[in-house]
Amino acid sequence: MRSLIVSTFISADGVAQSPGDDASYRNAGWTFRSVEFDPAAYELKGREQEKSGAVLLGRTSYELFAPVWPSMDEFAGYNAMPRYVVSTSLRHDDERWPATILRSLDDVAALKAGDGAPIIVHGSLRLARSLAEAGLVDRYHLLVFPVLLGEGARPFSESPHPALKLTVAEHEVYGNGVQKLVYDVER
């Protein structure tokens, strides 16, 4: 069985919406504006590209990434691996960044049940919440930025649910104040 990892940039108050450029959110691009760039803080992202076997996205993130990521040299690993998009409304993939469309969380569970390297989820906050609620998330990769954003979408479910215990697998604080927190979900 493959593991499923949710990877996200997150503010100290739990907001993960639009860490890059996206005109739909008032604080878009907060990762670039909140701290000085420190390449050490992004080591985890490089490792994800080396160790993951597939990228899983929600429709909105896929539609934002498809026109941009294929031309980004720093995402060569993601661009080379299979991509999957969970959507009930997407009718066809973007030919610039081909992906397989999955129609349900059952399809994700079937993908996860196969053999292979981990499946990494980027962006896709609504999908991340749904995957957690379905018990499909095995690990969280969080880069926590020292900024408070207030309102904004969060990667964790706010619906009533039993407590979910996490075990710290890795942690580090970088010179720019970004914290790496890697949590395994206890079953």
Side-chain angles (χ1 to χ4, degrees), residues 13-97:
D13 59 345
V15 175
Q17 183 173 348
S18 302
D21 293 328
D22 176 7
S24 68
Y25 177 57
R26 68 180 174 81
N27 286 323
W30 54 268
T31 57
F32 307 119
R33 292 190 318 271
S34 63
V35 299
E36 287 186 33
F37 178 75
D38 180 350
Y42 297 92
E43 173 276 332
L44 182 61
K45 296 300 174 188
R47 193 166 12 124
E48 288 172 355
Q49 290 186 71
E50 292 171 13
K51 304 286 184 186
S52 298
V55 176
L56 180 67
L57 301 165
R59 181 194 52 82
T60 303
S61 291
Y62 175 71
E63 289 177 338
L64 287 170
F65 296 169
V68 180
W69 278 30
S71 64
M72 297 180 75
D73 293 337
E74 60 267 42
F75 294 154
Y78 297 131
N79 290 327
M81 65 182 71
R83 287 168 294 283
Y84 298 88
V85 181
V86 181
S87 175
T88 58
S89 61
L90 191 65
R91 293 295 158 230
H92 56 83
D93 64 343
D94 187 316
E95 62 188 35
R96 295 171 290 185
W97 210 47

Side-chain angles (χ1 to χ4, degrees), residues 113-129:
D115 292 329
I119 302 163
I120 193 87
V121 178
H122 282 285
S124 311
L125 302 178
R126 219 174 342 197
L127 175 61
R129 290 188 298 269

